[in-house]
Amino acid sequence: MSTLIDGPQPPSAVGSAGARASRLHIPAVPARPGHRSDFGYLSLSAAGALPRPAIDARAADIGELAAGLVRVLDDDHRPVGPWHLPLEPSVLKTGLRHMLLTRAFDRRMQRTHRQGRISFYIQSTGEEAVSVAQAMALRPGDMLFPSYRNQGLFVARGVPLVDLMCQLLSNRGDMCKGRQLPVMYHSGPARIFSISGNLATQYPQAVGWAMAGAIKGEDHIAAAWIGEGSSAEADFHHGLLFASVYRAPVILNVVNNQWAISTFQGFAGGEQQSFAARGPGFGIPGIRVDGNDFLAVHAVTQWAAQRARANHGPTLLELVTYRAEAHSTSDDPSRYRPRDDYQHWPLGDPIERLKQHLILAGHWTESAHQALSAQLEAQVDSSWAEALAQGTPEQGCSLDRGLMFEDVFKDMPEHLRRQRDALAAERG
Amino acid sequence: MPQMNMIQALNSAMDVMLERDPSVIVMGEDVGYFGGVFRVTEGLQRKYGEHRVLDTPIAEGGIVGAALGRGVNGLRPVAEFQFSDYIYPAFDQIVSELARLRYRSAGAFWSPVTVRTPCGGGIRGGQTHSQSPEGIFTHVCGIKVVMPSNPYDAKGLLIASIEDDDPVIFFEPKRLYNGPFDGTPDKAAVAWKGDPRAEVPEGHYAVPIGKAQIVRSGAALTIVTYGTMVHVCEAAVRDTRLDAEIIDVRSMIPLDVDTLCSSVSRTGRCLIVHEATGFSGFGAELSATIQERCFWDLEAPIERVTGWDTPYPSAFEWDYFPGPARVAAALRRLMSPP
Ligand SMILES: Cc1ncc(C[n+]2csc(CCOP(=O)(O)OP(=O)(O)O)c2C)c(N)n1
């Protein structure tokens, strides 16, 4: 064996790493358990401070949008600035409803996991505005390529909760026929692509879908979401490159919730510059937006959608938010960040902010909010009962095990047919 | 002697190597401050610092490429992939680069990278947290491929891998991290504590790469297996009361052909068991090699028991997993061929 201390050296080894202090830069992490939260690293712009350019703007001319932060709601929940495109109160209330339903669904499924009735779950708490506002700013024909933390897309597109719950239960109603880990949903009719366990793969795929739309002369666009941690994968860069080369009608979203399991966003490159700033390097406009500001998220998504539909090409959006809960039911964030970190998050909670905005504008009241919350919780409960009617975990797997061999190919080849029969014989 | 589970044994191997050799560095997603999602690198960053135990971006191709470069420049990287299902973004860096650097540069450049990665099912992980891709990498010339089945071997083989000047892919059957698992999910989980294979010396020792181990001697037939399936096969042998010899391959490349073949020549019958899909799996190589050497001693065709040729389905995990019943049925067939 060769080491730097003794024995033969690798031929190109120089010096001794052990002899001198390392000069390598290691990204800083603002606060670990036992420390005070510190969000001083976040660059924030005042609400309303950034311009809203024309949809055919060149990436190089709007670099400030990639470095700053587009915000519409100010600290008093008043909408300000050029990105405030007034939306009908009914639209805002629908958005609030979708966000509340997403959160109620998450809470309930988390509890269900604790009771041992589903094997795994991922919450999107604190990030509801990302999926809901973006889905609402797009058209039903647009194709969505989500990550595993975009359940709000399914809610906003009206996919019944029962369908999602049956997937979590792997029962007779499971759209994935028992093949996928819980939360790896899809919906053909709602145009939401199948979620992969392998990070970032959906990015170039969304670009390809959008390219096909352009080739066919359609005006549907595509949108994809990944976490800032996943933006480290090569597929992120493949997506940007293809989108740039062919000016594909696609919206590429990076959801920067600050954490990738235990890894702080600095380790994905966020310390040097924003994630939105990756766009201009490819000639793609990058816009960094307050991801907890429903109005701002809606406005930038609409801008990017208009740009794509008018054939001016792709946009990279960075949605700045915070992962309020654990990464998943397998994770314990108190091991790597301050327990109360989220309480100090400067951009607040997306539901609370939209609620306060609506109250301030005279379209909403505290009691209406309570009543809606109660109604949505009841909806979650009744959906859960409906889902259980298609097979409970206590009854064991309610799906035919032969399904395991289907859909590997369109037609089952001989060797799989033999294996299916062998399994059936084994199980009697 | 201290008792360790497999997680502790692997941790101890890296601890020993970081201590002994300043060129050893550990890197991977969540391995530093957090200590890894399976806790295998717990405490190492605290002890050896952020410069030797590095958190990395989520970029497997980058992890291998950068490990290769560090290795060329005198370090000895141990890179973790969070799940072996996530090794594929690094495929080109492993297959075209890591495996062939020494060959293509006629020995001018080489890189002693160890890639550690948890594999196998049994944790309700579905198709992207359960795969056993070892066979894919045994088809590549220039990397060693190993898989331990107990804490003692885990530590000794990992030390040998880190000390090895060739790249090694080190597969860790995650279902064995906390205890020997015999393939019956409904039984209460058994811990490593009290198992003789969990007696692990604190200090430095190596289990040589390239040596199989006979874990049970027998005369009636030979079972050739590795990883989690070693324990499943032990259960099947108990159930069938056959006098089977069980061999833990441990090292797929290089392969200890002599140990395998002298056993099969003695018993005349051979069952090959692995969790990975069967078609073009490593069992095919085992079967061909054994058949070439032992043909005239065989009294029955060599059989294979493997995972089905489908992705690993989440809800049908225990229908997919080649459990003791499937192994036992094959054992009976082998003993009385039609
Ligand atoms: C190719 C690949 N590598 C590693 C993993 C393991 N993994 C799953 S989620 C995750 C963190 C992703 O973080 P981020 O992209 O920031 O999204 P977030 O979970 O914060 O929404 C990791 C490392 C994986 N699923 N796929």
Side-chain angles (χ1 to χ4, degrees), chain B residues 173-189:
Chain B
K174 60 177 106 66
R175 184 64 212 228
L176 300 182
Y177 273 152
N178 292 304
F181 174 67
D182 74 0
T184 35
D186 302 332
K187 270 204 319 219

Side-chain angles (χ1 to χ4, degrees), chain A residues 134-140 142 144 157 221 223 225 251 301 305 309:
Chain A
Q134 294 202 271
M136 289 177 65
L138 295 169
R139 292 187 190 161
D142 297 338
L144 313 182
R157 285 236 163 142
I221 65 170
W225 286 260
I251 304 177
T301 308
R309 253 185 267 282

Side-chain angles (χ1 to χ4, degrees), chain A residues 148-149 197-199 227-230 233 257 259-261 323 327, chain B residues 29-30 58 60 82 86 89:
Chain A
Y148 46 74
R149 214 182 294 283
N198 291 54
L199 300 171
E228 87 293 340
S230 308
E233 293 284 3
N257 63 10
W259 291 95
I261 312 184
R323 196 194 78 214
H327 170 75
Chain B
E29 297 160 16
D30 300 296
I58 303 170
E60 292 76 12
Q82 208 156 78
Y86 304 141

Side-chain angles (χ1 to χ4, degrees), chain A residues 102-111 113-114 120-128 148-152 183 185 257 322-329:
Chain A
T102 304
R103 189 166 293 182
F105 170 61
D106 273 353
R107 279 220 188 103
R108 180 62 205 255
M109 293 305 101
Q110 180 75 11
R111 194 144 43 90
H113 173 267
R114 239 180 278 125
F120 180 76
Y121 194 69
I122 288 183
Q123 300 189 85
S124 64
T125 317
E127 303 178 30
E128 293 88 349
Y148 46 74
R149 214 182 294 283
N150 292 120
Q151 44 269 57
V183 315
Y185 321 109
N257 63 10
Y322 188 90
R323 196 194 78 214
E325 297 288 346
H327 170 75
S328 72
T329 47

Side-chain angles (χ1 to χ4, degrees), chain A residues 195-347:
Chain A
I195 299 171
S196 175
N198 291 54
L199 300 171
T201 49
Q202 67 273 29
Y203 240 53
Q205 296 165 354
V207 175
W209 194 97
M211 287 168 65
I215 289 169
K216 294 192 290 175
E218 295 168 357
D219 70 350
H220 303 311
I221 65 170
W225 286 260
I226 57 171
E228 87 293 340
S230 308
S231 76
E233 293 284 3
D235 273 340
F236 169 76
H237 305 86
H238 298 156
L240 287 174
L241 180 68
F242 275 69
S244 162
V245 168
Y246 298 104
R247 281 201 212 158
V250 63
I251 304 177
L252 296 169
N253 301 295
V254 174
V255 183
N256 181 359
N257 63 10
Q258 315 304 312
W259 291 95
I261 312 184
S262 77
T263 305
F264 184 64
Q265 51 118 356
F267 285 88
E271 202 178 52
Q272 312 299 340
Q273 61 174 0
S274 75
F275 293 92
R278 305 282 166 89
F282 285 92
I284 297 174
I287 306 181
R288 188 166 167 268
V289 59
D290 177 350
N292 290 5
D293 177 342
F294 186 94
L295 282 85
V297 173
H298 195 280
V300 297
T301 308
Q302 209 166 50
W303 186 91
Q306 281 168 2
R307 178 181 173 88
R309 253 185 267 282
N311 226 20
H312 297 307
T315 305
L316 178 66
L317 301 179
E318 174 183 350
L319 301 116
V320 178
T321 181
Y322 188 90
R323 196 194 78 214
E325 297 288 346
H327 170 75
S328 72
T329 47
S330 311
D331 178 42
D332 172 10
S334 72
R335 298 182 94 121
Y336 53 77
R337 67 185 192 191
R339 243 172 227 287
D340 61 349
D341 213 29
Y342 183 48
Q343 266 82 68
H344 303 280
W345 173 244
L347 299 175

Side-chain angles (χ1 to χ4, degrees), chain A residues 1-3 11-12 22 24 32-33 178 180-181 197-198 232-233 262-263 267 335 401 404 416 419 426-427, chain B residues 21 30 33-34 51 57-60 72 76 85-86 108 110 124 127-128 163 308-309 313-315 318-319 326:
Chain A
M1 147 192 193
S2 82
T3 70
S12 52
S22 168
L24 194 70
R32 288 297 194 184
Q180 283 263 56
L181 193 70
N198 291 54
E233 293 284 3
S262 77
T263 305
F267 285 88
R335 298 182 94 121
R401 52 177 65 93
M404 187 201 314
L416 289 184
Q419 292 179 18
E426 181 181 307
R427 294 290 160 149
Chain B
D21 181 351
D30 300 296
Y33 184 89
F34 188 50
H51 294 252
I58 303 170
E60 292 76 12
V72 168
R76 198 165 275 277
D85 312 69
Y86 304 141
W110 50 277
R124 306 180 82 177
Q127 46 121 22
T128 58
E163 292 180 337
W308 307 117
D309 292 321
S314 164
W318 302 115
D319 291 310
R326 201 177 300 161

